[in-house]
Amino acid sequence: MTATTPLDRALYGTADPGMLPLPEEAAKLLSLLEAPPRLAAHLRAVHDVAHRLVDWIAHHCPAAGIDREAVLFGAATHDIGKTVHVAELSGPGSEHEPAGRDLLLRHGVAPARARFAATHASWTEPGIGLEDLLVSLADKIWKNKRVPDLEDRVVTALAGASGREVWEEFIALDELLTAIGDGADERLAFQSSFATTTREG
């Protein structure tokens, strides 16, 4: 696809560092909603990091049995509520979380996949599974933000699935997150190159 508009470029254009495209369902929905280009760029960056996380887990801890496609879709749409609460693109706020889930449900997305829009900042709530934690983790580590409590929860889940010691899982995950974090400046620059409104280039 030829990327002609700022939104198209955020969704499909060449990125430095190279980033995978969003799942087609997510990209079409963002186009339909005329998402701010910066939001699309952010979702693409987080989705790309989520890809690295799920690929690593598939190799490192296949017993975790994560729903790969759910994690990737969740990462690609976790902030979609910011198409409604645009001010939260550049300022604080959590209204986009339930709004995003409701928006996805209205567009026919199954509740099991729409939930990530509401859970990505709520990893301490009851019933949060490893898939939810991974979307939350991708949303932090894309910009090299380390959150010990969140990472500890991922480590505990991995140790429970693998049978390895917690400290072994901690070392392995820390190594991965350090490597991912090394690309944060480039991802931040990619996101910042796009406007927070649909009317700017």
Side-chain angles (χ1 to χ4, degrees), residues 87-157:
E88 293 184 12
L89 265 174
S90 54
S94 58
E95 291 184 40
H96 71 277
E97 295 160 16
R101 179 194 57 218
D102 294 345
L103 182 64
L104 291 170
L105 292 172
R106 287 199 304 274
H107 282 84
V109 175
R113 296 202 304 160
R115 76 180 194 267
F116 298 101
T119 64
H120 67 272
S122 306
W123 60 83
T124 61
E125 296 296 318
I128 295 295
L130 181 55
E131 287 91 353
D132 304 87
L133 294 174
L134 292 173
V135 172
S136 299
L137 184 59
D139 190 34
K140 298 299 182 187
I141 201 63
W142 79 276
K143 58 183 176 182
N144 201 24
K145 182 174 183 179
R146 303 296 296 264
V147 183
D149 176 59
L150 174 58
E151 294 175 22
D152 287 347
R153 290 169 188 269
V154 174
V155 164
T156 298

Side-chain angles (χ1 to χ4, degrees), residues 53 56-57 60 134 137 141 146 150-156 158 166-180:
L53 292 174
W56 178 79
I57 288 178
H60 174 77
L134 292 173
L137 184 59
I141 201 63
R146 303 296 296 264
L150 174 58
E151 294 175 22
D152 287 347
R153 290 169 188 269
V154 174
V155 164
T156 298
L158 292 176
V166 168
W167 66 265
E168 293 180 89
E169 294 294 1
F170 173 83
I171 290 171
L173 182 66
D174 181 68
E175 183 178 311
L176 172 69
L177 298 184
T178 299
I180 292 174

